[in-house]
Amino acid sequence: MSADVTPCESGARPKRRVRAGLLAPTLVHPFVMAMRAIELHSINRWEASFLREEVGGYFTHGIECTPGATVLDVGANIGVFSAAVYERLDGDVRIYAFEPMPPLHATLERNAREFFNGRLTALPYGLASRDDELDFSYIPAATIFSSSSRDQGNIEDERRRVTASVVEGIRQGGLGPVLRRVPARVLTPLIGRKLRVLRHLETHRVKVRPLSSVLDEQGIDHIDLLKVDVEGAELEVLRGIEERHWPLVRQAVVEVEGWQQNRDTVCEVFLTHGFKVSTEQNSVQRAGDIGMVFAVRP
């Protein structure tokens, strides 16, 4: 699976696996998923496995964490990224995890109580450019696609985009050599039918806040790593950081949706604030019009 890396400064990012759980029967009741040292409670077991596999891709292009770090996990879901950081640093870390969807936050908070030894604060709201309340679409069978930017009006377009990404992943060998040989024209309708689960949305009215308000409230005086994975609201999150707080941010990793439209704007935000910026997009991400931005202070 090829990847476009700009600039190529620290090796290729590990391949993303296909979100293969969508091809299995829907599982919507809570599970406990074994995840190395930590067994996180989850809503869909396949999602926990998928998220765990992709975590390593955040720690490339000069991104690193050292003991004593303060990490912000924006778009935390059930806390898989937080768990990976906690394990990497043997628990010597302070994590603030943001998850506005009530079912996901309840699971995140449970994980925080049981597995993080007081090192993770689970915050029950999202981040945006200003204080507000928004309607978020929650997808029980595929919670990782829940977003304020998805609704019944655009979910079919989203289903086609995700279908293209999954098909490309299969064609790159994400589900083994046999399926890799199946033509895209055959895979596309099959995957599209499986992804009809995306149509089953629940709407939740949730609170969003600017990050600067949270930094003041929580007394956060430095951010060693800002991780953002918010399904299309990346610029809103970044616009919620006031100029006085940008010097507190040492590193950031942002998964950007609408890559062609938003990549340059996200990069410019970091360049303007003195970061060295790298971008990366593999073929699966390209099919789904997403990519990664890595920002490190020189």
Side-chain angles (χ1 to χ4, degrees):
M1 186 183 301
S2 62
D4 298 328
V5 183
T6 311
C8 186
E9 60 184 31
S10 60
R13 185 175 180 228
K15 297 179 182 180
R16 282 198 161 202
R17 287 193 176 183
V18 179
R19 296 186 172 182
L22 290 174
L23 309 183
T26 300
L27 304 171
V28 295
H29 56 86
F31 279 85
V32 175
M33 179 61 186
M35 307 182 72
R36 294 183 189 170
I38 299 177
E39 293 184 351
L40 288 179
H41 301 286
S42 63
I43 293 174
N44 297 314
R45 181 165 56 178
W46 70 265
E47 291 182 293
S49 298
F50 170 79
L51 292 170
R52 173 63 89 172
E53 289 294 332
E54 73 169 5
V55 161
Y58 287 92
F59 294 96
T60 61
H61 299 280
I63 301 294
E64 60 183 7
C65 281
T66 56
T70 295
V71 176
L72 273 58
D73 185 354
V74 184
N77 200 273
I78 62 169
V80 174
F81 178 82
S82 293
V85 171
Y86 184 87
E87 291 167 6
R88 289 171 80 99
L89 301 182
D90 292 326
D92 188 6
V93 63
R94 191 74 184 91
I95 303 171
Y96 297 86
F98 299 79
E99 179 48 61
M101 299 305 305
L104 288 170
H105 180 264
T107 305
L108 174 66
E109 191 171 46
R110 182 182 180 188
N111 286 330
R113 288 194 310 268
E114 296 186 20
F115 304 121
F116 287 86
N117 197 31
R119 296 286 184 164
L120 186 148
T121 300
L123 298 166
Y125 43 80
L127 295 180
S129 60
R130 58 190 175 89
D131 286 295
D132 204 349
E133 288 189 354
L134 301 175
D135 287 332
F136 272 60
S137 291
Y138 175 67
I139 304 174
T143 69
I144 54 177
F145 296 116
S146 301
S147 171
S148 62
S149 62
R150 296 188 177 105
D151 54 35
Q152 292 292 356
N154 64 18
I155 196 63
E156 283 304 305
D157 289 337
E158 288 293 285
R159 186 168 69 93
R160 284 190 287 270
R161 181 181 66 83
V162 174
T163 297
S165 182
V166 172
V167 168
E168 176 61 19
I170 294 172
R171 296 284 292 160
Q172 293 293 336
L175 288 180
V178 175
L179 285 177
R180 183 177 185 175
R181 294 193 292 269
V182 178
R185 67 178 183 277
V186 175
L187 287 172
T188 297
L190 293 174
I191 302 305
R193 285 196 290 273
K194 288 291 185 180
L195 286 171
R196 287 174 182 170
V197 296
L198 298 183
R199 296 175 177 172
H200 304 300
L201 308 178
E202 298 176 4
T203 300
H204 293 266
R205 190 76 171 172
V206 305
K207 184 177 182 180
V208 293
R209 303 179 61 190
L211 180 54
S212 281
S213 296
V214 180
L215 298 180
D216 288 338
E217 181 182 276
Q218 297 290 331
I220 300 171
D221 60 7
H222 67 283
I223 302 168
D224 295 291
L225 178 58
L226 171 64
K227 167 262 184 182
V228 181
D229 183 358
V230 289
E231 303 299 311
E234 300 81 24
L235 284 167
E236 275 291 294
V237 172
L238 299 178
R239 288 166 179 160
I241 305 175
E242 298 175 14
E243 289 300 322
R244 64 191 174 96
H245 283 136
W246 272 106
L248 305 184
V249 182
R250 189 173 71 85
Q251 303 175 113
V253 182
V254 182
E255 182 174 288
V256 179
E257 287 203 4
W259 183 250
Q260 293 301 316
Q261 178 179 348
N262 297 319
R263 172 195 57 197
D264 291 345
T265 306
V266 171
C267 288
E268 186 61 28
V269 169
F270 287 108
L271 290 169
T272 298
H273 291 97
F275 291 84
K276 182 179 180 180
V277 177
S278 302
T279 66
E280 186 170 347
Q281 185 185 53
N282 62 34
S283 62
V284 177
Q285 293 167 327
R286 192 179 307 117
D289 196 26
I290 64 174
M292 301 293 294
V293 171
F294 304 82
V296 179
R297 289 207 179 274

